[in-house]
Amino acid sequence: MTVSSEHVHQLTGVEDVQGFVTRVCFKTGPPGTVGIESEWFVVDPANRHRHVPIPELERALHGTSLPRGSLVTYEPGGQLELSSAPAPNISAVRRNLEIDLEAARALLDSAGLLLLGCGSDPHRPPKIQAIGPRYTAMHQFFAHRGSAGEAMMGSTAAIQICLDAGRDEAHVRRRWRVANALLPILLAAFANSPLRLGRPTGFRSSRYAVWAAIDPGRTTVPEGPDPAEAWARYALAARVMVVRTPDGAWLADPGFTFEEWVRGDTPLARPTEDDLAYHLTTLFPPVRPRSWFELRYLDALPDGIWQVAAGVTTALIEDDVAADAATDVAQSVAGLTPVAMRDAVGDPRLRRAALRCLELAAEALPRLAAAAMVPEVERFREHYTERGRCPADDLLEPNREPFEASTPHGRHPLWP
């Protein structure tokens, strides 16, 4: 959610929150547009324990505009994020991001640095590098809630798939339902973060386990049949992470929920729509509505595998036939997210569900003008899912035969 100066209207009650969420977060229109936000750890092969400073990354990238327009930003721990420009379909956005990643990789390679595609930093402890009032306040907020917050900020990376909300209210509900229902299946199929501090954690997706531990009030799935109403209730119930001030330090963890703030039950003036828009950026559910749906539950993945994950995820939501069938499949594994992040498709129930969803995606991709991606999905299914394996197992057993992909950097880039 981009904070906009136009949202200056003061909120007078919870009804205003509901109205804002419906109007801004769940915009309707013809679906089809796809975006990808791709996060990477940047490592020094000469010293795998060194945290590469963000200024060093900025110098390596020379402030260069990438050829296909991906936005370059940095996460708090120095993770590099490339956010693709929106594209009309999965094939186009995939190609655009591949070209921009190749350009960024070449610049980093010249500086002696490598991109590592996995969901948690396998060796380095978290180190918060990014400075500024937002990340300072976020760090202060999580400091009183254990170590998961710092690990989330400094030691995790994801690939996020962004899809339109839907063509009308009924279609939005369908797409919201399937996007959330697919969580345990896609998390299990593509789990890729089994290591932290050089040791196995017991989770195939340590990244998701970290996120799940930071604050249930801002990381669980919003509950309810009406997504706008559910998201409004979720936002109202969440504790305010930070109150921005025009001058001086921002107020971190002020000790009240957004509902208490909007009802006037705090010493502060009631929030504005701008305050609500910012509050929504501090909530991290598996699917976040931002006028489009941002699917946040996939671990970062290496080249050759992130393309499969993006194609499968898009197909299962964008194609209505696949979406309806996948929703039925997901009912059989509802509630298995804790199992997915621990055992992935080693669990037979999740393996069966993932195999069926990969089949549905392969059937749907030609209908989305992406038939060329079908062989990649089939290779992934044969190499991983049919064997009860996921990408995390490559990191746990690096001497096994690696997954071969059709991209130049298709091998899993393990630590040197």
Side-chain angles (χ1 to χ4, degrees), residues 12 59 101 121 147 187 243 282 294 326 374 377:
T12 60
R59 289 193 299 272
L101 274 169
D121 194 314
S147 61
L187 178 64
V243 176
T282 72
E294 179 186 73
V374 173
V377 175

Side-chain angles (χ1 to χ4, degrees), residues 58-77:
E58 293 173 328
R59 289 193 299 272
L61 294 173
H62 307 305
T64 305
S65 296
L66 296 176
R68 294 299 177 92
S70 293
L71 178 66
V72 175
T73 55
Y74 301 94
E75 293 297 301

